[in-house]
Amino acid sequence: NTVTKTAVLPLSLNLRSAASFGVLTGAGVSGDGSIKGNIGTATLGIPSLVTATGTKYEGTTEAPTARNDLSPAYFDAAGRTDVTQLNAGDYNLGATTQTPGVYKIGGNATLNGTLTLNGAGIYIFQIAGLLTTANNSMVNLTNGAQWHTIYWQVGGNDATLGSNSTFVGTLLAKKSISAGNGASVTGRLLGGADDATGTVTLTNATLLPVELISFTASSNQKSVNLHWSTATEVNNYGFEVQRTEVRDQ
């Protein structure tokens, strides 16, 4: 007899009210950056240099409620047992390609270079230690992979995104998150999932939860027609198109 085993893809995480936040933490946000979505902290402390298309919640009930909703999602991600263990210790995700599934790293996770996520479905990374992405590192999506189905559960105290890095997905950190100068995030930075003293530090960082499928431009006499489509948008209130005129060319 032939036995055929069908792979069972993981279920998504339910973030509940935390899903509307681009940045969420327990004990304050610092630095500067541009956020698509809401920003929330259980204490006072969101500087004016951190801007948001949504609402800033400082010390109001919305932020603690969202953080309470974040906690069960964090432990759900950490508790998944049908996993592929990438390494029992530290592991570099750079220069690798992963397909949908749950991946376990028993130590610290680093990302040097490019991580490719290939295919539509749920991705969950269980990281027992710290997460550190190098400067100029990248998470690249191919063949239908989408940011809103990618989750990073970081069991160490901190997650650090390098300068000018490109990060994709929802980051659920036990405590604190920092994003280096010029870091670009398509997703969410959700800190303090298991430690109320967690903070989020931004340095000229941009969070853009808009997933672009295509963008084309065509000439129409003296005008240009632009066409684009998106797979998902979170709290997006529109697009700004800028034009530069180059003379003598």
Side-chain angles (χ1 to χ4, degrees):
N1 295 330
T2 301
V3 177
T4 302
K5 181 179 180 181
T6 302
V8 178
L9 296 180
L11 298 176
S12 185
L13 300 180
N14 187 358
L15 297 172
R16 299 177 177 85
S17 64
S20 68
F21 286 81
V23 170
L24 178 65
T25 189
V29 178
S30 61
D32 62 295
S34 177
I35 309 301
K36 299 291 185 180
N38 299 326
I39 305 176
T41 174
T43 63
L44 296 177
I46 300 177
S48 60
L49 291 177
V50 176
T51 61
T53 61
T55 302
K56 292 183 177 182
Y57 296 106
E58 300 179 71
T60 58
T61 58
E62 290 86 354
T65 298
R67 188 178 160 274
N68 288 338
D69 286 343
L70 170 63
S71 184
Y74 171 87
F75 286 106
D76 179 12
R80 300 291 177 96
T81 56
D82 189 9
V83 304
T84 298
Q85 181 156 305
L86 296 175
N87 201 343
D90 297 346
Y91 186 77
N92 176 25
L93 289 158
T96 68
T97 298
Q98 310 297 343
T99 55
V102 181
Y103 297 93
K104 184 178 182 64
I105 298 173
N108 298 323
T110 55
L111 173 52
N112 298 310
T114 299
L115 164 66
T116 299
L117 302 182
N118 181 49
I122 305 298
Y123 296 79
I124 298 176
F125 292 91
Q126 298 175 345
I127 302 169
L130 310 177
L131 170 64
T132 304
T133 71
N135 296 345
N136 302 302
S137 61
M138 175 181 293
V139 178
N140 182 43
L141 306 186
T142 59
N143 292 326
Q146 298 181 352
W147 78 265
H148 63 280
T149 63
I150 302 166
Y151 302 93
W152 305 79
Q153 179 265 325
V154 181
N157 279 339
D158 301 312
T160 303
L161 308 181
S163 297
N164 299 311
S165 61
T166 301
F167 187 80
V168 178
T170 297
L171 177 51
L172 304 92
K174 175 181 179 180
K175 188 177 180 182
S176 297
I177 301 171
S178 63
N181 184 37
S184 174
V185 179
T186 301
R188 309 178 181 95
L189 300 181
L190 308 179
D194 190 32
D195 190 329
T197 65
T199 61
V200 173
T201 302
L202 307 172
T203 306
N204 189 32
T206 301
L207 274 81
L208 181 66
V210 174
E211 188 171 11
L212 191 67
I213 296 176
S214 65
F215 185 96
T216 60
S218 59
S219 176
N220 182 9
Q221 296 181 355
K222 293 184 178 181
S223 301
V224 176
N225 295 331
L226 302 179
H227 302 274
W228 66 84
S229 60
T230 59
T232 58
E233 300 178 23
V234 177
N235 293 326
N236 179 39
Y237 295 93
F239 296 90
E240 177 180 329
V241 178
Q242 298 183 352
R243 175 187 177 189
T244 299
E245 182 176 355
V246 180
R247 297 181 179 273
D248 301 326
Q249 289 192 15

